[in-house]
Amino acid sequence: MIQIARESGEAETAPPVNLGARVRELRKARNWTLEQAATQAGLARSTLSKIENGQMSPTYDALKKLAVGLEISVPQLFTPPSAAQINGRMSVTKSGDGTSKATTTYEHELLADTLRKKQMLPYRARIRARKMEEFDGWVRHDGEEFLYVLTGVVRLYTEFYEPVEMRRGDSAYYDATMGHNVVSTSDEDATILWVTSLT
């Protein structure tokens, strides 16, 4: 049984975790094939397959390799995820490597695009629009949104507030169901970081 220490100092006994199912869950959360995960961990594909299917009990050395390959600690192999959350996911997007989506008013670069079931949608945007008339009405969608100005100067228009001029380092957090549009007011196209909630 696993002992989990509480902040109060008391210990809570967690139910035993099926190691094979846990390893498979962690691997699939990263969208890795058996071959990819085995390579990351420095194990044979057949060995990893047997671990996932409960056909063998791995040595501590194999457990250490698995943890290193999955970029987690050994105890996390035996700790169930809380509330069915997927733990340990990470996606790195190098500068310029995002997925491009261009419109007449914005040029988006989607970040962390390889991750599925995200709670947030992060993207960098180049603001091409210079005036409100370039938009076909308000942009509205579910969720909340965070905007951070990276370069240049923008004007944030919203349905219920006066327009706000924003410069590098300025940010805004707003309800995305409220109509909103952003235009560049600097000579060059401004760039911003946008993060939209997906829940």
Side-chain angles (χ1 to χ4, degrees):
M1 301 288 274
I2 311 290
Q3 294 290 317
I4 300 173
R6 288 180 170 174
E7 287 182 9
S8 63
E10 299 174 3
E12 175 184 319
T13 302
V17 171
N18 180 322
L19 177 63
R22 177 73 171 136
V23 170
R24 185 184 300 109
E25 175 187 46
L26 289 164
R27 173 176 64 81
K28 289 189 173 181
R30 290 157 176 74
N31 292 317
W32 288 350
T33 63
L34 263 173
E35 289 83 357
Q36 288 172 317
T39 300
Q40 284 288 119
L43 297 172
R45 180 193 180 283
S46 59
T47 299
L48 183 56
S49 177
K50 286 177 183 176
I51 292 171
E52 286 194 2
N53 291 306
Q55 295 172 351
M56 73 173 286
S57 296
T59 63
Y60 185 70
D61 185 55
L63 287 174
K64 282 199 298 184
K65 287 182 177 180
L66 265 176
V68 170
L70 292 167
E71 298 177 334
I72 60 174
S73 65
V74 171
Q76 285 178 289
L77 288 171
F78 299 95
T79 307
S82 59
Q85 289 181 334
I86 297 173
N87 294 332
R89 298 199 306 163
M90 184 174 81
S91 175
V92 175
T93 307
K94 295 288 189 177
S95 179
D97 286 351
T99 305
S100 296
K101 302 283 184 186
T103 68
T104 55
T105 50
Y106 303 136
E107 185 177 321
H108 297 309
E109 181 187 3
L110 304 183
L111 308 173
D113 197 36
T114 56
L115 286 183
R116 298 294 174 255
K117 298 183 180 178
K118 293 192 288 285
Q119 303 299 309
M120 301 179 293
L121 180 64
Y123 51 102
R124 207 166 67 110
R126 179 175 297 279
I127 311 301
R128 294 174 169 173
R130 289 297 191 278
K131 52 184 184 295
M132 278 288 288
E133 290 73 26
E134 295 178 50
F135 294 91
D136 185 19
W138 290 111
V139 172
R140 289 190 187 88
H141 49 83
D142 290 338
E144 297 178 317
E145 200 155 69
F146 176 76
L147 178 161
Y148 184 91
V149 182
L150 298 171
T151 65
V153 184
V154 301
R155 184 169 289 123
L156 170 62
Y157 290 91
T158 55
E159 197 170 6
F160 306 130
Y161 297 88
E162 288 297 315
V164 181
E165 185 168 279
M166 302 174 64
R167 298 173 177 274
R168 180 179 177 178
D170 292 344
S171 64
Y173 189 107
Y174 49 88
D175 178 358
T177 61
M178 170 179 66
H180 56 279
N181 293 322
V182 179
V183 302
S184 286
T185 57
S186 47
D187 291 336
E188 74 282 3
D189 291 347
T191 59
I192 63 176
L193 173 68
W194 248 322
V195 182
T196 304
S197 68
L198 295 175
T199 55

